[in-house]
Each structure stands twice: as C-alpha cells, then as structure tokens.
Amino acid sequence: MGGKGTYSTGKSPAYTFETVGFLDNVKVLRPIDQSKSLKLPEESHTPGNKYVLLDKDGVFHQYREYDDNHKVVLEIGYHHEKALGQGDVLHVHIHNKPGIENHSSATKYKIGPGNPYYEKYKHLFVGVK
C-alpha cells in the first residue's frame, strides 16, 4: 500500500505499507519496515483513498484522505504537535492546496468532542483520550 511520493512521476514505487485491517471500511496500514517513522504514505496509489495508521500499542495515530490526483487533502493526527500543546494532541490539517509538499501551509488546529471533524471521524480514534 503506498510508497513515498513517486506515483505522480508515473513510476510505481515499491510498497512500503501493508494492510492489517479495516476500521469502518477504512484501510488500516502498517509500515512493512517497522523501524521507519510512523507516517502514512505521502501519496496514495488509488485516487480518493483513505488510510488509518495505529501506533505499536493499537492507538490511533494518523488518518489521511487523498484526492483524485493521489494527493493528501485531509489529515487527522494524534501525536505530539508542539504548536498545539503538550503531549499527544488530536488535531486536523486541512490542505487547502493538495499535496504533502503543502503540509506546512495547511490549516491546523486541535479538535475534540463537538467539533465537526471529531464527530465525523471519532469512530477511527481508537484509544484516544
């Protein structure tokens, strides 16, 4: 499942993730090489795909949605995000311009109960406190 950012050049990268399950019809991925950083693919092999990544303890870590051009358009994370507070923070990145290369300019903020993104995706937040 997914490589690191080479699909758009027309080359099929080696698979670096494997599907280990599903959460409400969303593929749960795991890096094949577990020593690699815990991040979802920068691009999806399949247009419009959605993936979830859990940490080694089975706790929600990251969710990404991709557009028809295979690029990231939405990311929800539960991990350290220094600009948003201490410890693990549940937060959203809305890519106003698709693609991981635009991640630093994405709209980013904390989410919690009552927030529309939280309410829509809370079924994916396994183990989030």
Side-chain angles (χ1 to χ4, degrees):
M1 289 299 110
K4 287 281 189 184
T6 58
Y7 182 83
S8 62
T9 62
K11 298 176 185 170
S12 285
Y15 284 104
T16 55
F17 293 86
E18 60 186 342
T19 302
V20 294
F22 289 86
L23 282 173
D24 197 30
N25 294 322
V26 177
K27 286 183 182 180
V28 178
L29 301 184
R30 174 177 60 200
I32 292 170
D33 180 350
Q34 304 242 343
S35 69
K36 300 287 184 187
S37 71
L38 202 54
K39 289 184 182 179
L40 283 169
E42 295 173 1
E43 295 179 340
S44 172
H45 278 238
T46 306
N49 226 344
K50 302 170 185 177
Y51 298 131
V52 169
L53 181 67
L54 305 177
D55 70 13
K56 63 181 168 66
D57 297 320
V59 175
F60 172 83
H61 184 74
Q62 190 177 45
Y63 167 82
R64 282 188 176 165
E65 286 183 9
Y66 303 83
D67 67 8
D68 289 339
N69 293 316
H70 312 265
K71 296 188 174 256
V72 175
V73 292
L74 175 71
E75 178 181 327
I76 299 174
Y78 182 62
H79 48 81
H80 183 72
E81 189 73 35
K82 189 176 181 177
L84 297 178
Q86 299 291 327
D88 290 339
V89 178
L90 188 61
H91 61 283
V92 64
H93 296 262
I94 303 164
H95 290 246
N96 303 309
K97 189 172 180 186
I100 200 68
E101 64 276 6
N102 299 307
H103 188 72
S104 62
S105 65
T107 302
K108 174 175 63 173
Y109 55 88
K110 283 179 164 181
I111 61 172
N115 175 279
Y117 286 102
Y118 181 91
E119 297 303 326
K120 181 175 181 179
Y121 297 101
K122 65 184 175 185
H123 60 283
L124 303 174
F125 303 152
V126 177
V128 173
K129 298 174 187 171

